[in-house]
DNA sequence: CAGTGAGCGAGCTTCCGCTTGACTT
C-alpha cells in the first residue's frame, strides 16, 4: 500500500517523485477534471429539457452548477481511480491558487476516497521544500473553492447570455465574455483614435557640428526665445497645435530660410548640464513579461513563446512557465549570483541580493518566476539547445542573471548652443558603469526608445566653445497616429488591469482572431468591422461588463469570498437575478435593440454605411434613391476606410471590372477585379464557352492602383517554365502560391520540391540559375504540431477542403498519412513515393467514414450523438471559413 | 475558388481556467 499524491502537471509529477520517500506514488490530474458542459453534446439527457440546461447552471436553484467530466479527461479520472485503489492515503498537491484548490476539491468529489486525505502545498520544487510541505499538510479551503466556483459561474453567465444576443442581433457564431470583450474593446478604442487622428506636419533644423575634429549632432529648439513646435505640441484630433501652446510652428519655407540665414554664422556653447542616472534591472520573467519580450525581441507570438517555454520546462531547463510571480527562491538567487561572479566578476554583483515583489493586480503567485531550473544555472552555451528554444532560454537566463547584477550608472549630458537668435540642443549619454546592462537590455514597444540604452558620444565641451558647423539641414516631420496594439502590448495592458491569467493570455489572442474580431498583420492586431459592431452594442447596453475595471471588482469580491467576508450566493443573485440582473437586462435589450441598427457601423467622415452581413462586412450607400452595396476586402481596415475607397469599390461593382488594357499577343482584354480572396487579374470575360477565364491573384502588398498592364500580363503567365535542371534534367518553374512566390523542381516520379522566393527575388523575372540556387538550399523547417519534432517523410500538399497540409509520417506500424487529426495507413502494396495527394485524399476519406460509423460503446446513444456532433463540426468549419475569408 | 446581404425554421453556435492528449495493425 502506498500514498497517492496528485499534482497538476506530469512534468511536476516526475520531478517530485525523486524528492519523496519510497512508497509514494505521484500522478497528474492534467489540470481541471470536471467542468460545466462545454457544448450541447455534453449535457446529460436527464437535464436536456430544463430551461437552464444550455447554461449548465441551475439559476433557479441557488445557481447549482452541473458538472461533467469532459471527454478528454475520462481516461485520466479512470487512471486516478485505479491508482487510488491501491493507496492507503491520498495527498492532494495541486497548485496553491484558486484554481488549484478547486481541482483538489473536484478530485475529492469524483474519487470519493475512503482513505485519509491531506492537502499539501509547495512553491518550490526542491527536496527541502517538499519534505517541509509534507510535514505541514492542511485541509481543503472550502471558501477558496467557493470563490473559484463563483468565478466559473459568473463567466458562464456572462458568456452564455451575451453571446446568443449577438447571434440574434449581429451575426451567427459570435461570442462575448468578461475577458475577450474587453480585449476587443481595447483594440476598437485604439482604432477609433486612429480614425479620428489628423496628421500634423512641422519642420526643424539639424546641424552636424565639430569640436576638435569630433562630429556631433544638434537640433533646433528655439527661435528668438520661443520654443519650436514638435510632435507633442499637436492635437491628434485636429492636426493643429494645441490651443494655448506658446510655440513657433515652422513650415518648409521658414525652415529653409532659417538655414540660409544661419549658414556661416558663429556657434557658441552656452550651457552644459550633466546629470547622473542610475537604472535598476527589470524583475525576472512572469508569463506576461516573457511573452512581451519574446514578441519584441524574437518576434514570437504569445502562443509560440508558450510552446517553446513548455518544451524547455519539460526538458528540465526552466521552472514552470505559467506564473504571475516575480519571486525567486533563495537557491535561485544564489545560483544567479554565482553566475554573475563567474562570468562578469564580483564588481558586477548587486551589493545585496535583490528580491522583487509582484505588483500585478490580482496576482495569485502559486509558482516562482520563470528562471533557469536547478541550483546552478546552465549557461545557454552549455545547453544542447538550438533555434527558438536556445533563443528563449537565452532570454530567460540573461534576465534572471541580470536581476542580481549591480545598477547601471549613466550620465545624461545636455548641451545648449546659440547661433544668432536660434537655440540648438545636443544630448549625449555616457555609460559610467554598465552594471546589469552587460547582460540584459529590455526591449521596448516603441522602436525609438530601444536606442535609449546606447551610449551617445559627445566630444568634451565647455561653455564658450565655438564648434564648427559642418552641415545644416531643414527636416520635415509628420505626426504619427497612435500605434495599434501588438500581442506584446495587449498582453501588457490586460495583465496590468488584472484581466486574464497566465494560462490564458495566448488563447485570448487566438480567440479574438478566430472569432473574426481581429486580424494579425505585421505584428499589429487590427480589429475588424464586426469588432466595431459588437463593441458598439456592448458599450451601449452593457457598459459595466466591457469596462476594464469589471474584472478588478470581481476579483475583489472573490477575495472577500475566499476570506469569508462576502457571501457567494448574494453576489451571484445580485449579478444575474432581479430587475437589474443580467438575465432581465438581456431580455429587455433583446426587444429594444434594432437588428439593422446593430449591424450598421457609422463612421465619422464617411458617407457610406458599413454593415455586417452574412458573408462579412459590406458598404451600403444610397444614391439617387438606389441602394448600392459592395463587399469590403479583407485588407481594408476600419481606421483607413474613406470615401474614395468606397467610391472605387462601388464603381467596380456597377461598371463591371476595370479594364487594364489588351493583352499584347492575344488582344484579349485584361480586367482587374476584387474578389473574396483579394484583388486579382483576369484574362478575357466570363462567357458561355469560357466559363473559367485565366486568373491570377496579386502578390501580397501590391495595391490595385499599382498594377500595370505589363505586370498583369506577367502574372497571367504564371506558373512560368524556367528550364531544365542542370543536374537532374527535371523541370524548373516559378509561380505564385498560397504562401507567396515560389520556385519548383519537378522530377516527375521523384516528386516536386518547392522553395519560397526571397524578398529580393521577383517571380516574374527570376531565371533558372537563381532558381537552382534556391532549390539547393535546405528546406525551411516549418514548426509543425507541438512536440512532434518528427519530420514528415513527404509533404503532399494541402487538403482542398481546409488548406491544411497532408503529410506522410513514419510510425511504429509503418508510414501513414496525416491530415489534421486524421491518420490513415498506406496499403502494403503501395510505396510512400507512389502516394499522390489524390490517393491520400481517398485514403483519408475512407478512414474518416469508418471512424464515423465505427463508434464504440452503447449503440443507439453513441451513434446519434456522434452524428450530431459530426454535422455540427462540419457546419462550424464552413462558417469559420467564410468568416475568415469575408 | 473569385457571388451574395431576406427566408419554412430543427437544433446549434458561446464563456474562462487548469493541463497535455496524438485511436495507423
Amino acid at each position: 500500500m502506498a500514498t497517492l499524491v496528485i499534482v497538476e502537471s506530469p512534468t511536476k509529477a516526475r520531478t517530485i517523485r525523486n524528492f519523496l520517500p519510497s512508497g509514494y506514488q505521484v500522478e497528474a490530474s492534467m489540470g481541471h477534471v470536471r467542468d460545466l458542459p462545454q457544448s450541447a453534446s455534453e449535457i446529460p439527457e436527464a437535464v436536456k429539457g430544463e430551461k437552464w440546461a444550455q447554461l449548465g447552471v441551475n439559476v433557479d436553484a441557488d445557481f447549482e452548477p452541473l458538472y461533467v467530466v469532459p471527454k478528454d479527461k475520462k481516461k485520466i479520472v479512470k487512471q486516478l481511480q485505479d491508482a487510488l485503489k491501491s493507496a492507503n492515503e491520498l495527498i492532494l498537491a495541486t497548485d496553491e491558487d484558486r484554481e488549484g484548490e478547486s481541482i483538489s476539491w473536484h478530485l475529492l468529489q469524483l474519487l470519493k476516497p475512503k482513505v485519509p486525505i491531506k492537502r499539501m502545498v509547495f512553491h518550490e520544487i526542491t527536496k527541502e521544500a517538499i519534505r517541509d510541505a509534507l510535514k505541514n499538510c492542511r485541509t481543503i479551503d472550502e471558501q477558496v473553492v467557493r470563490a473559484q466556483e463563483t468565478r466559473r459561474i459568473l463567466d458562464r453567465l456572462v458568456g452564455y447570455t451575451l453571446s446568443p444576443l449577438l447571434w440574434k442581433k449581429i451575426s451567427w457564431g459570435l461570442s462575448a465574455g468578461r475577458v475577450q470583450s474587453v480585449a476587443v474593446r481595447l483594440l476598437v478604442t485604439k482604432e477609433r483614435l486612429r480614425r479620428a487622428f489628423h496628421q500634423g506636419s512641422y519642420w526643424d533644423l539639424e546641424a552636424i557640428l565639430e569640436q576638435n575634429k569630433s562630429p556631433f549632432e544638434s537640433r533646433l529648439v528655439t527661435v528668438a526665445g520661443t520654443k519650436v513646435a514638435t510632435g507633442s505640441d499637436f492635437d491628434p484630433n485636429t492636426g493643429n497645435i494645441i490651443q494655448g501652446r506658446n510655440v513657433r510652428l515652422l513650415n518648409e519655407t521658414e525652415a529653409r530660410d532659417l538655414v540660409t540665414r544661419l549658414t556661416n554664422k558663429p556657434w557658441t556653447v552656452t550651457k552644459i548640464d550633466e546629470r547622473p542616472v542610475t537604472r535598476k534591472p527589470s524583475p525576472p520573467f512572469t508569463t506576461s513579461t516573457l511573452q512581451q519580450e519574446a514578441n519584441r525581441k524574437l518576434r514570437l507570438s504569445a502562443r509560440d513563446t508558450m510552446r517553446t517555454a513548455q518544451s524547455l520546462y519539460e526538458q528540465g531547463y526552466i521552472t514552470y512557465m505559467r506564473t504571475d510571480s516575480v519571486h525567486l527562491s533563495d537557491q535561485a538567487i544564489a545560483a544567479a549570483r554565482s553566475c554573475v561572479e563567474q562570468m562578469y566578476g564580483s564588481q558586477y554583483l548587486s551589493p545585496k541580493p535583490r528580491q522583487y515583489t509582484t505588483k500585478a493586480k490580482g496576482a495569485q503567485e502559486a509558482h516562482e518566476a520563470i528562471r533557469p531550473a536547478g541550483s546552478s544555472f546552465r549557461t545557454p552555451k552549455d545547453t544542447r539547445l538550438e533555434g527558438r528554444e536556445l533563443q528563449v532560454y537565452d532570454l530567460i537566463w540573461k534576465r534572471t542573471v541580470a536581476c542580481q547584477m549591480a545598477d547601471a550608472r549613466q550620465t545624461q549630458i545636455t548641451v545648449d548652443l546659440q547661433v544668432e537668435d536660434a537655440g540648438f540642443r545636443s544630448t549625449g549619454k555616457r555609460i559610467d558603469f554598465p552594471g546589469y546592462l552587460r547582460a540584459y537590455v529590455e526591449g521596448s514597444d516603441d522602436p525609438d526608445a530601444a536606442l535609449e540604452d546606447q551610449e551617445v558620444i559627445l566630444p568634451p565641451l565647455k561653455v564658450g566653445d565655438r564648434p564648427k558647423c559642418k552641415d545644416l539641414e531643414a527636416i520635415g516631420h509628420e505626426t504619427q497616429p497612435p500605434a495599434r496594439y501588438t500581442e506584446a502590448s495587449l498582453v501588457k495592458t490586460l495583465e496590468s488591469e488584472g484581466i486574464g491569467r497566465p494560462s490564458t493570455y495566448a488563447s485570448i489572442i487566438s480567440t479574438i482572431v478566430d472569432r473574426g474580431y481581429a486580424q494579425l498583420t505585421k505584428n499589429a492586431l487590427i480589429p475588424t468591422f464586426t469588432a466595431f459592431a459588437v463593441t458598439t452594442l456592448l458599450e451601449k447596453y452593457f457598459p459595466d461588463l466591457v469596462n476594464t475595471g469589471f474584472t478588478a471588482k470581481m476579483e475583489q469580491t472573490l477575495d472577500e469570498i475566499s476570506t469569508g467576508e462576502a457571501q457567494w450566493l448574494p453576489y451571484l443573485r445580485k449579478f444575474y437575478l432581479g430587475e437589474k440582473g443580467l438575465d432581465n437586462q438581456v431580455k429587455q435589450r433583446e426587444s429594444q435593440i434594432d437588428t439593422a441598427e446593430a449591424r450598421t457601423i457609422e463612421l465619422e467622415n464617411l458617407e457610406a454605411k458599413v454593415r455586417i452581413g452574412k458573408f462579412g462586412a459590406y458598404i451600403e450607400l444610397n444614391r439617387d434613391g438606389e441602394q448600392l452595396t459592395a463587399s469590403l476586402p479583407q485588407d481594408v481596415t476600419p481606421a483607413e476606410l474613406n470615401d474614395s475607397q468606397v467610391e472605387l469599390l462601388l464603381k467596380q461593382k456597377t461598371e463591371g471590372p476595370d479594364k487594364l488594357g489588351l493583352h499584347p499577343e492575344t488582344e484579349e482584354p485584361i480586367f482587374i477585379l476584387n474578389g473574396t480572396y483579394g484583388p486579382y487579374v483576369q484574362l478575357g470575360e466570363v462567357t458561355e464557352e469560357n466559363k473559367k477565364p485565366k486568373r491570377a491573384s496579386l502578390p501580397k502588398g501590391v495595391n490595385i492602383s499599382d498594377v500595370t498592364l505589363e505586370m498583369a500580363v506577367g502574372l497571367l503567365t504564371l506558373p512560368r517554365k524556367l528550364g531544365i535542371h542542370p543536374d537532374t534534367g527535371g523541370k524548373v518553374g516559378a509561380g505564385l502560391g498560397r504562401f507567396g512566390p515560389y520556385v519548383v523542381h519537378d522530377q516527375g516520379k521523384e516528386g516536386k520540391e518547392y522553395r519560397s522566393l526571397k524578398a529580393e527575388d521577383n517571380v516574374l523575372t527570376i531565371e533558372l540559375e537563381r532558381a537552382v540556387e534556391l532549390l539547393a538550399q535546405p528546406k525551411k523547417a516549418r514548426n509543425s504540431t507541438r512536440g512532434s519534432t518528427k519530420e514528415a517523410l513527404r509533404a503532399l500538399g494541402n487538403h482542398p477542403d481546409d488548406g491544411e497540409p497532408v503529410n506522410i509520417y513514419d510510425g511504429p506500424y509503418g508510414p501513414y498519412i496525416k491530415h489534421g487529426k486524421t491518420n490513415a495507413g498506406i496499403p502494403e502494396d503501395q510505396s510512400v513515393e507512389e502516394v499522390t495527394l489524390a490517393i491520400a485524399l481517398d485514403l483519408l476519406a475512407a478512414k474518416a467514414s469508418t471512424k464515423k460509423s465505427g463508434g464504440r460503446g452503447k449503440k443507439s446513444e453513441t451513434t446519434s450523438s456522434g452524428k450530431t456532433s459530426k454535422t455540427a463540426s462540419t457546419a462550424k468549419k464552413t462558417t469559420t471559413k467564410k468568416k475568415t475569408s469575408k
Side-chain angles (χ1 to χ4, degrees):
Chain A
M1 289 305 252
T3 297
L4 175 63
V5 181
I6 303 181
V7 296
E8 288 179 41
S9 119
T11 311
K12 201 167 173 177
R14 230 182 302 133
T15 329
I16 74 164
R17 208 166 278 151
N18 303 322
F19 300 141
L20 287 169
S22 61
Y24 282 75
Q25 187 189 354
V26 191
E27 296 292 331
S29 79
M30 311 277 190
H32 278 293
V33 286
R34 281 205 314 186
D35 193 11
L36 302 176
Q38 205 221 325
S39 65
S41 60
E42 278 187 359
I43 300 172
E45 290 296 335
V47 295
K48 254 190 178 153
E50 307 284 343
K51 67 180 191 334
W52 52 267
Q54 170 253 28
L55 273 177
V57 178
N58 189 347
V59 290
D60 298 327
D62 290 351
F63 295 89
E64 191 193 347
L66 170 67
Y67 287 123
V68 296
V69 178
K71 223 175 138 201
D72 57 330
K73 292 292 167 59
K74 293 225 156 92
K75 206 171 140 191
I76 289 151
V77 171
K78 179 82 176 36
Q79 279 170 7
L80 293 177
Q81 277 165 342
D82 288 347
L84 188 61
K85 279 180 198 154
S86 55
N88 56 8
E89 188 186 31
L90 172 64
I91 296 183
L92 300 161
T94 52
D95 296 346
E96 192 186 27
D97 56 14
R98 211 161 53 211
E99 300 296 327
E101 203 69 20
S102 167
I103 292 171
S104 280
W105 180 81
H106 278 289
L107 283 168
L108 273 193
Q109 302 291 306
L110 267 176
L111 301 176
K112 299 188 183 69
K114 299 198 173 63
V115 295
I117 55 139
K118 284 179 187 163
R119 170 84 170 108
M120 167 174 125
V121 292
F122 48 90
H123 300 106
E124 287 171 30
I125 307 184
T126 59
K127 197 166 187 168
E128 305 79 65
I130 286 166
R131 295 270 166 116
D132 274 357
L134 208 50
K135 280 183 222 142
N136 294 299
C137 287
R138 56 173 175 82
T139 54
I140 287 181
D141 188 331
E142 302 268 346
Q143 286 173 336
V144 174
V145 174
R146 276 301 187 196
Q148 190 279 342
E149 191 165 63
T150 307
R151 199 274 311 150
R152 181 69 191 90
I153 293 172
L154 185 125
D155 280 333
R156 170 56 65 95
L157 295 176
V158 172
Y160 276 39
T161 53
L162 288 187
S163 299
L165 184 70
L166 297 181
W167 307 338
K168 283 173 203 144
K169 300 299 175 186
I170 297 179
S171 185
W172 193 92
L174 292 176
S175 63
R178 170 176 61 84
V179 170
Q180 59 168 295
S181 295
V182 176
V184 170
R185 187 181 179 208
L186 287 171
L187 303 187
V188 169
T189 306
K190 187 78 89 176
E191 196 74 3
R192 286 180 182 146
L193 285 179
R194 285 175 68 88
R195 191 165 176 87
F197 172 78
H198 282 76
Q199 195 159 56
S201 65
Y202 60 96
W203 284 71
D204 65 5
L205 268 50
E206 203 180 276
I208 307 288
L209 305 175
E210 196 181 87
Q211 177 79 12
N212 298 335
K213 306 226 164 115
S214 315
F216 61 101
E217 280 179 21
S218 198
R219 193 169 280 277
L220 178 73
V221 285
T222 59
V223 173
T226 309
K227 185 182 167 291
V228 173
T230 60
S232 59
D233 295 313
F234 284 84
D235 180 347
N237 293 314
T238 62
N240 299 322
I241 298 289
I242 297 170
Q243 286 270 310
R245 287 262 164 123
N246 182 25
V247 290
R248 171 101 179 258
L249 176 62
L250 290 185
N251 62 27
E252 182 172 2
T253 342
E254 289 165 331
R256 295 201 187 283
D257 287 350
L258 196 55
V259 170
T260 321
R261 190 154 69 76
L262 299 181
T263 302
N264 295 326
K265 294 286 167 21
W267 291 64
T268 316
V269 174
T270 55
K271 193 177 157 202
I272 293 179
D273 184 44
E274 293 204 354
R275 206 160 41 90
V277 192
T278 60
R279 297 189 55 198
K280 290 185 197 316
S282 306
F285 279 132
T286 60
T287 304
S288 135
T289 51
L290 174 64
Q291 288 177 5
Q292 290 166 42
E293 278 287 89
N295 187 250
R296 294 190 282 235
K297 286 190 168 164
L298 310 175
R299 285 285 155 146
L300 289 186
S301 69
R303 179 134 292 179
D304 285 341
T305 303
M306 292 315 282
R307 248 198 289 264
T308 310
Q310 170 102 26
S311 167
L312 289 170
Y313 168 65
E314 284 171 3
Q315 295 173 71
Y317 282 105
I318 60 169
T319 54
Y320 195 59
M321 64 282 158
R322 289 187 275 265
T323 175
D324 52 17
S325 171
V326 288
H327 182 264
L328 288 178
S329 66
D330 294 343
Q331 180 203 45
I333 290 178
R337 295 181 73 83
S338 106
C339 270
V340 176
E341 275 197 293
Q342 273 173 33
M343 301 200 56
Y344 305 106
S346 51
Q347 75 272 28
Y348 278 93
L349 209 51
S350 74
K352 275 190 208 156
R354 288 183 212 264
Q355 185 62 265
Y356 293 84
T357 46
T358 302
K359 290 195 196 83
K361 269 185 210 169
Q364 303 189 21
E365 307 204 61
H367 304 272
E368 258 192 271
I370 304 173
R371 60 160 176 101
S375 50
S376 71
F377 298 165
R378 277 174 279 188
T379 61
K381 262 191 284 177
D382 293 339
T383 66
R384 282 223 212 99
L385 298 169
E386 47 186 49
R388 199 175 272 185
E389 290 187 351
L390 178 63
Q391 288 179 308
V392 172
Y393 181 75
D394 186 65
L395 215 55
I396 294 168
W397 185 87
K398 282 180 177 156
R399 175 98 163 202
T400 313
V401 168
C403 80
Q404 293 305 321
M405 290 176 75
D407 292 350
R409 291 197 307 275
Q410 309 168 335
T411 304
Q412 191 76 42
I413 309 156
T414 313
V415 178
D416 287 333
L417 299 110
Q418 194 74 30
V419 45
E420 299 279 291
D421 61 344
F424 278 71
R425 177 167 287 178
S426 302
T427 52
K429 179 189 277 178
R430 191 170 64 226
I431 294 182
D432 302 311
F433 176 65
Y436 76 92
L437 295 176
R438 279 283 305 264
Y440 189 88
V441 178
E442 186 167 15
S444 169
D445 292 320
D446 175 6
D448 294 333
L451 299 169
E452 212 201 310
D453 292 305
Q454 284 178 13
E455 202 159 26
V456 183
I457 311 271
L458 287 181
L461 289 163
K462 55 186 189 304
V463 174
D465 277 351
R466 298 187 155 243
K468 261 186 260 168
C469 179
K470 303 302 264 183
D471 188 35
L472 185 62
E473 235 183 306
I475 295 176
H477 305 270
E478 277 166 344
T479 57
Q480 296 301 314
R484 290 195 173 102
Y485 280 99
T486 61
E487 287 195 43
S489 59
L490 182 64
V491 168
K492 189 178 179 179
T493 306
L494 291 176
E495 191 205 24
S496 72
E497 298 288 345
I499 300 169
R501 303 278 313 133
S503 64
T504 61
Y505 296 131
S507 57
I508 293 167
I509 292 164
S510 308
T511 301
I512 63 182
V513 171
D514 290 348
R515 297 271 173 276
Y517 288 138
Q519 61 177 93
L520 188 59
T521 310
K522 291 187 197 151
N523 214 31
L525 283 162
I526 309 174
T528 59
F529 290 98
T530 308
F532 268 64
V534 168
T535 299
T536 307
L537 185 148
L538 294 177
E539 280 171 337
K540 188 166 171 193
Y541 297 103
F542 304 95
D544 293 345
L545 292 179
V546 287
N547 202 314
T548 45
F550 181 80
T551 293
K553 265 191 260 163
M554 178 197 78
E555 284 291 343
Q556 199 186 337
T557 310
L558 295 182
D559 282 347
E560 287 167 11
I561 291 171
S562 58
T563 55
E565 295 160 70
Q567 296 298 310
W568 65 276
L569 189 55
Y571 174 64
L572 284 180
R573 276 196 185 131
K574 187 169 173 232
F575 179 76
Y576 190 75
L577 301 174
E579 195 173 339
K580 287 184 138 180
L582 182 64
D583 188 35
N584 194 38
Q585 293 267 329
V586 171
K587 284 196 179 106
Q588 277 182 16
R589 301 310 191 199
E590 205 175 311
S591 53
Q592 284 170 9
I593 299 171
D594 177 63
T595 312
E597 196 183 306
R599 289 184 183 151
T600 308
I601 301 152
E602 304 211 24
L603 295 169
E604 261 182 77
N605 303 320
L606 193 77
E607 201 194 342
K609 283 175 179 155
V610 177
R611 316 196 81 142
I612 306 299
K614 239 196 257 179
F615 313 104
Y618 63 101
I619 41 170
E620 188 179 85
L621 187 62
N622 194 318
R623 186 167 286 165
D624 308 328
E626 217 188 331
Q627 290 284 5
L628 304 175
T629 64
S631 280
L632 277 166
Q634 266 208 310
D635 55 344
V636 176
T637 66
E640 272 99 40
L641 180 63
N642 58 32
D643 285 337
S644 64
Q645 250 175 324
V646 168
E647 212 48 55
L648 190 75
L649 289 165
L650 289 177
K651 202 177 124 216
Q652 277 169 8
K653 183 101 185 287
T654 50
E655 294 176 10
D658 265 3
K659 213 193 315 188
L660 261 179
L662 298 179
H663 195 281
E665 283 153 35
T666 67
E667 304 231 320
E668 281 177 287
I670 295 179
F671 298 104
I672 176 129
L673 296 115
N674 217 333
T676 339
Y677 307 100
Y680 63 104
V681 289
Q682 176 178 307
L683 182 64
E685 276 172 86
V686 182
T687 56
E688 269 306 305
E689 58 268 29
N690 187 15
K691 275 191 182 151
K692 285 201 171 170
K694 175 108 179 127
R695 290 170 171 144
S697 287
L698 299 192
K700 268 190 185 145
V702 177
N703 288 320
I704 288 192
S705 50
D706 304 337
V707 180
T708 59
L709 181 62
E710 192 192 351
M711 186 197 273
V713 171
L715 288 170
L716 287 163
T717 62
L718 296 177
R720 289 165 60 216
K721 289 181 189 135
L722 297 181
I724 301 297
H725 197 285
D727 300 339
T728 66
K731 286 178 267 181
V732 180
L736 209 52
R738 245 167 56 85
F739 307 110
Y742 64 86
V743 286
V744 60
H745 180 199
D746 184 354
Q747 299 189 65
K749 267 199 171 173
E750 304 272 311
K752 293 177 181 178
E753 281 269 322
Y754 290 87
R755 294 289 183 282
S756 282
L757 293 195
K758 306 276 181 237
E760 64 266 25
D761 296 315
N762 183 342
V763 65
L764 298 178
T765 56
I766 190 166
E767 288 176 13
L768 180 64
E769 197 188 342
R770 171 68 179 154
V772 170
E773 192 183 315
L774 285 169
L775 286 160
Q777 290 174 10
K779 209 174 249 175
K780 212 165 126 193
R782 291 254 305 279
N783 49 321
S784 51
T785 47
R786 191 194 65 76
S788 72
T789 41
K790 202 160 56 174
E791 220 183 306
L793 290 177
R794 277 189 61 203
L796 297 173
N798 298 317
H799 200 285
D801 286 358
D802 56 7
E804 290 298 318
V806 178
N807 292 335
I808 301 181
Y809 289 93
D810 200 14
Y813 311 99
Y816 64 96
I817 302 162
K818 187 175 182 69
H819 164 243
K821 282 188 175 167
T822 315
N823 297 331
I826 296 173
E828 292 238 332
D829 54 332
Q830 209 145 30
S831 75
V832 173
E833 283 69 35
E834 279 169 12
V835 179
T836 62
L837 183 59
I839 297 174
L841 292 181
D842 283 342
L843 290 168
L844 286 167
K847 183 72 204 169
S849 66
T850 59
K851 221 182 189 175
K852 215 192 294 177
S853 57
R856 50 188 111 76
K858 288 179 216 160
K859 268 178 254 162
S860 60
E861 222 177 295
T862 339
T863 32
S864 74
S865 70
K867 269 234 173 79
T868 41
S869 75
K870 185 77 198 169
T871 40
S873 72
T874 348
K876 187 178 172 183
K877 242 175 214 164
T878 21
T879 37
T880 32
K881 209 168 153 190
K882 270 185 184 153
K883 223 182 274 166
T884 45
S885 55
K886 208 148 289 182

